[in-house]
Structure formats: structure tokens, C-alpha cells
Amino acid sequence: MRVLLVEDTEGLGEAVRDQIADDGHAVDWVQTLGFAEASVQTTTYDLILLDLMLPDGHGFGFLRRLRAAGITTPVIILTARDQVSDRIEGLNAGADDYLVKPFDLSELSARVAAVARRYRGDPNPVIRLGELEVDLRDHRIHRSGLPIELTAREWALFEGFIQRPGMLLSRSQLEDRLYAFGAEIESNTIEVYISRLRKKLGRDTIVTVRGMGYRLDTHGH
């Protein structure tokens, strides 16, 4: 998964970042709400770990703005404030889970995995796009009943389209998904991967919008 960590305490931020990375996820760590706002505008995250007391504001405001903008990315709140009223306010603002500091890093890993499982299985792990059948949970694709093998990076790119069906994705948004997998990005990298996906999934699966980017053909034409 691609995870955004919003935490201004240096030692805790490093420990959480290293733990989540060791679990196999890509982590972007920011220390202010300003950087968090900028990050969610340019990158599609699978999970956000959110501290509440930040130098430039309170995490609840950021969370409410996310939900008001229709961004449904799961959020786990990290806080030292162990008040029932705070937990209720956080859940009402749209949080998915709550961890009270100090917490055990293995518990954090378990919570992250649980949220990931919940969202991978919800609402429908299998979607159909024309002759494609895509299993989001198990990362499997069938085309006209036959299995299609995608590499991890090809899947990362294709998943970006699935998460925003029919929406235009710019080259930089797509490059961002590959960066998370440590891919070296060259000037034609995206074109190469799009070409590979079209060969495997069908020529018209991904539409080029000249000078703007690409989008998934949700009608399967």
C-alpha cells in the first residue's frame, strides 16, 4: 500500500515510518497539515496515519476536509489524548481507527493490516470492465475467462486507474505510483507501461487524452 504518515514528533515519526516500510508498504512522511494537504492532492493513498496535534493546526479539521472532498481513504488517528469524547469526535469526523500513544509498533502493524483487509474486501473485490474481470483483493485479472499475468509495477499502475474509473490521470500521477515501487522513471517510462497494459488487457482498455494523460475506458469498448 501507499501510506501517508502525518506526524511531527521526529522519533515517533521515524519509528512508525520504518515499521510500516518493513511491513512492505511505501511511506510518505510529512510533519505539517500543509504538507499533508499538498500530498493528498497529488498522490492517491491507500491509508493515512494522522497525528492530531500538529504545528499548523488540528488533525480533525484536515480529516473533515478530506471527507467533505469525497476522499474515502481510510484514516487511523494517532494521538496522546485518550479521552472518549476525542475518540467519538474522531470517528464522527470520518476516522476508521484510533491508536493512543504510546502504542506498540506491532499493534500498529496489525491495525494497518486490518484496515487494508477491510478496504480490499469492501464493497466488491471483483469488478468487471467489458471482457475483463478484476479481483482487487487477490490481484488477479481474467480476460474473456483466461488469466492475465501482470508484474507488480504493471498492477500498481492499473490499480491507479481502477481506483479512479473514467477519471483522467496525468503522467505525474502515474509516475508517482511507480516511484512507490522503486522504479526508475525515464521520459518514456509511462508510455512503455501503458503499452504493456494495452497488449495484455486490450488495446482500448486505456485511452490516451493527448497532452493531458490517460484514463480507463470503463465501458470496455
Side-chain angles (χ1 to χ4, degrees):
M1 295 195 300
R2 187 78 184 263
V3 179
L4 177 64
L5 169 62
V6 189
E7 169 62 65
D8 66 322
T9 305
E10 201 80 30
L12 179 61
E14 287 176 2
V16 170
R17 178 195 61 196
D18 293 348
Q19 178 77 12
I20 300 300
D22 286 347
D23 291 338
H25 307 298
V27 186
D28 293 342
W29 173 26
V30 298
Q31 295 177 295
T32 67
L33 290 176
F35 282 120
E37 303 262 11
S39 296
V40 295
Q41 285 170 15
T42 57
T43 304
T44 302
Y45 289 100
D46 302 297
L47 175 68
I48 297 171
L49 301 174
L50 178 64
D51 183 24
L52 290 183
M53 306 302 288
L54 291 149
D56 55 344
H58 198 285
F60 284 157
F62 169 70
L63 179 53
R64 287 196 185 92
R65 288 191 293 279
L66 275 188
R67 297 303 185 234
I71 297 173
T72 58
T73 305
V75 173
I76 299 177
I77 286 176
L78 314 176
T79 181
R81 292 164 49 164
D82 188 17
Q83 299 291 327
V84 172
S85 58
D86 285 337
R87 294 191 192 206
I88 292 170
E89 187 179 354
L91 295 169
N92 285 342
D96 295 83
D97 205 348
Y98 227 95
L99 265 177
V100 177
K101 302 173 186 175
F103 48 79
D104 188 86
L105 289 172
S106 59
E107 183 183 1
L108 172 67
S109 289
R111 298 283 188 99
V112 167
V115 169
R117 278 196 304 275
R118 215 157 53 227
Y119 273 77
R120 275 207 302 267
D122 182 25
N124 182 8
V126 178
I127 61 171
R128 286 171 180 79
L129 299 164
E131 58 186 17
L132 296 178
E133 188 175 278
V134 184
D135 187 324
L136 299 173
R137 186 173 52 216
D138 295 332
H139 289 194
R140 289 186 183 152
I141 301 178
H142 286 78
R143 181 182 177 191
S144 301
L146 299 173
I148 303 288
E149 294 291 328
L150 293 189
T151 67
R153 289 173 184 172
E154 287 166 355
W155 175 267
L157 209 58
F158 186 55
E159 191 176 43
F161 287 108
I162 292 173
Q163 288 173 347
R164 297 186 171 188
M167 287 180 63
L168 185 72
L169 295 182
S170 68
R171 176 196 292 269
S172 64
Q173 285 174 301
L174 295 173
E175 286 177 347
D176 206 60
R177 294 195 70 83
L178 294 182
Y179 272 127
F181 282 80
E184 290 193 15
I185 307 295
E186 296 175 10
S187 60
N188 67 334
T189 299
I190 295 302
E191 284 79 2
V192 169
Y193 277 99
I194 294 289
S195 175
R196 287 184 194 170
L197 287 173
R198 283 174 172 155
K199 277 181 185 165
K200 292 182 177 184
L201 306 176
R203 192 166 50 87
D204 299 326
T205 304
I206 297 169
V207 179
T208 302
V209 182
R210 200 163 296 284
M212 307 259 314
Y214 303 88
R215 64 177 174 78
L216 183 69
D217 180 4
T218 55
H219 303 295
H221 294 150

